[in-house]
Amino acid sequence: MAEILSLAGKTAVVTGASRGIGRAIALELARRGAAVVVNYHRSAEAAQAVISEIEAAGGRAALFQADVSVAEQAAALIAFAVETFGDLHILVNNAGITRDRLLPMMSEEDWQAVLDANLKSTFLCSKAAVKHMLRKRTGRIINIASVAGQMGNPGQTNYSASKAGQIGFTKALAREVAGRGITVNAVAPGFIETDILQSMPAGTLEAALKLVPLGRLGQPAEVAYAVAFLASDAAAYITGQVLGIDGGMAMM
Ligand code: NAP
């Protein structure tokens, strides 16, 4: 691998890395040489399998259970990474949920749960990580947003708001910390083949695929490759950006 794309010697935290896109990101960062903290919330067995897969390939990884929408747990996750691997260079805010309902049927709880898991978690983990990165004058924060935050999606006012919020957060923080050698970017996946798509109403996915110029679902690894690039030295001059990984669905 070209040295500029290598992550050897770096430490990364990936939130929600037990399944789907987070799992693929953890595997790819580890493959490129990073020591990876695999965070999970409920899927302990799946998260342990990610650790085993990284270690079997000769990589370094550690497991940490935390609900990243809770301040103390998010802070403990970041502290664990620094204690375990001695530093923290890369934070990937990937943890996320959906609770889809048309607005008249959406409860306040549906709204809050999604905003907390997707957006508040990004604030909490970034705040804890940035304190460390500011002292070190280096760091990479990568937020996993969504095309829903750019285009909107019916039945997903809560989710779309949380993802648009992550995009605004990315740009504001990028400006705040640029002078200290820290970059902050977002990726905006389209329809990626993971468990999260199973909650979509029947027929919605088929209709949505008609909007994808490349005409297929994306794979978790295809998001992970972009995240690994943004985490690498090759992306040192990129900050405050939103990279679409959506088969051409949202051409901004
Ligand atoms: P997924 O397969 O459902 O996985 C979600 C992951 O998030 C799981 O590892 C889950 O952990 C974790 N998680 C949820 N709430 C958490 C919390 N409070 N604390 C810690 N971890 C938590 O979803 P995915 O499709 O991979 O989605 C990953 C990210 O990509 C999300 O932010 C999602 O919005 C975004 N995204 C996905 C798509 C898509 O089409 N798949 C498109 C655009 C954006 P446990 O299983 O351990 O509970």
Side-chain angles (χ1 to χ4, degrees), residues 204-230:
T204 310
L205 192 56
E206 289 71 19
L209 270 180
K210 295 201 173 88
L211 304 173
V212 180
L214 288 179
R216 64 169 176 86
L217 296 176
Q219 293 304 310
E222 294 178 303
V223 180
Y225 300 143
V227 171
F229 164 70
L230 289 171

Side-chain angles (χ1 to χ4, degrees), residues 13-61:
V13 168
V14 183
T15 69
S18 48
R19 296 182 287 118
I21 293 171
R23 172 182 177 279
I25 293 169
L27 294 174
E28 183 60 22
L29 298 186
R31 196 180 70 81
R32 296 192 187 209
V36 180
V37 174
V38 171
N39 158 250
Y40 71 100
H41 184 204
R42 296 201 170 95
S43 308
E45 214 172 296
Q48 182 54 55
V50 177
I51 299 282
S52 302
E53 199 171 333
I54 290 173
E55 288 177 346
R60 292 200 301 156

Side-chain angles (χ1 to χ4, degrees), residues 15-23 39-44 46-47 66-70 93-98 116-118 121 144-148 159 162-163 166 187-197 200 220 223:
T15 69
S18 48
R19 296 182 287 118
I21 293 171
R23 172 182 177 279
N39 158 250
Y40 71 100
H41 184 204
R42 296 201 170 95
S43 308
D67 176 346
V68 288
S69 66
V70 176
N93 287 307
N94 165 79
I97 62 168
T98 52
D116 285 353
N118 300 3
S121 63
I144 311 304
S146 169
V147 284
Y159 184 77
S162 74
K163 294 294 169 182
Q166 274 185 313
V187 299
F191 293 106
I192 309 297
E193 206 167 351
T194 72
D195 296 344
I196 219 169
L197 292 189
M200 284 181 86
V223 180

Side-chain angles (χ1 to χ4, degrees), residues 107-149:
S107 67
E108 198 175 334
E109 204 221 325
D110 291 332
W111 172 266
Q112 201 58 51
V114 169
L115 267 289
D116 285 353
N118 300 3
L119 183 56
K120 188 178 174 196
S121 63
T122 299
F123 156 68
L124 291 172
C125 293
S126 301
K127 182 174 170 177
V130 145
K131 285 182 183 164
H132 177 83
M133 290 173 177
L134 284 172
R135 280 197 299 276
K136 295 283 181 163
R137 290 188 156 266
T138 183
R140 294 274 192 275
I141 297 177
I142 300 145
N143 298 320
I144 311 304
S146 169
V147 284

